[in-house]
Amino acid sequence: MGMIFDTRRFVRSFGYAAAGLRLAVAAGQNLRVQMVAGAVAVAAGWMLHISLTEWCILGIVAFQVLAMEVMNTAVERLTDLVAPERSRPAGAVKDIAAAAVLLSAFSALAAGLIIFLPKI
């Protein structure tokens, strides 16, 4: 009979996730740019005294973009692993994953404009 909850395994999973994040940051220039953009948005929010609701929205959309970029990096790595040669289908997979990042970035931009433009 297995354990219902294995604390050591649970804690180790955070280590694996942290290692994955380090790999994504090291491999992805776009992720680093988006992290800087998020930091700029946080600084702007602090300077412009945005509301708690606005902070929540800003945090959700900023982390949404970062999460999508990390997932895009994973899809690109996996695609390169299973299809090391250039091919249209592999390129399409990468393009579709990149489109998901673009859509999330557009939503973050829209939220940023809605939050910050009235305060500027």
Side-chain angles (χ1 to χ4, degrees), residues 58 61-62 64-65 102-115:
L58 183 66
V61 297
Q64 166 196 305
V65 172
L102 183 63
L103 291 172
S104 68
F106 282 155
S107 71
L109 177 62
L113 292 173
I114 291 166
I115 291 170

Side-chain angles (χ1 to χ4, degrees), residues 3-120:
M3 292 183 68
I4 293 173
F5 186 80
D6 184 344
T7 305
R8 287 178 294 193
R9 186 181 213 181
F10 181 71
V11 170
R12 269 195 312 259
S13 71
F14 281 96
Y16 298 140
L21 184 57
R22 283 191 298 274
L23 287 169
V25 169
Q29 176 181 336
N30 290 344
L31 181 60
R32 292 190 301 272
V33 168
Q34 290 158 348
M35 291 172 81
V36 169
V40 168
V42 167
W46 182 75
M47 288 188 302
L48 296 172
H49 307 285
I50 64 176
S51 72
L52 179 60
T53 301
E54 291 167 332
W55 275 116
C56 290
I57 293 167
L58 183 66
I60 289 167
V61 297
F63 278 101
Q64 166 196 305
V65 172
L66 297 177
M68 291 302 293
E69 186 61 53
V70 169
M71 188 57 66
N72 180 52
T73 301
V75 167
E76 287 184 356
R77 288 243 178 142
L78 182 59
T79 303
D80 290 343
L81 181 67
V82 299
E85 69 290 337
R86 281 184 90 107
S87 70
R88 274 204 154 126
V93 167
K94 289 181 174 187
D95 290 348
I96 292 166
V101 177
L102 183 63
L103 291 172
S104 68
F106 282 155
S107 71
L109 177 62
L113 292 173
I114 291 166
I115 291 170
F116 293 121
L117 279 181
K119 295 177 181 354
I120 297 176

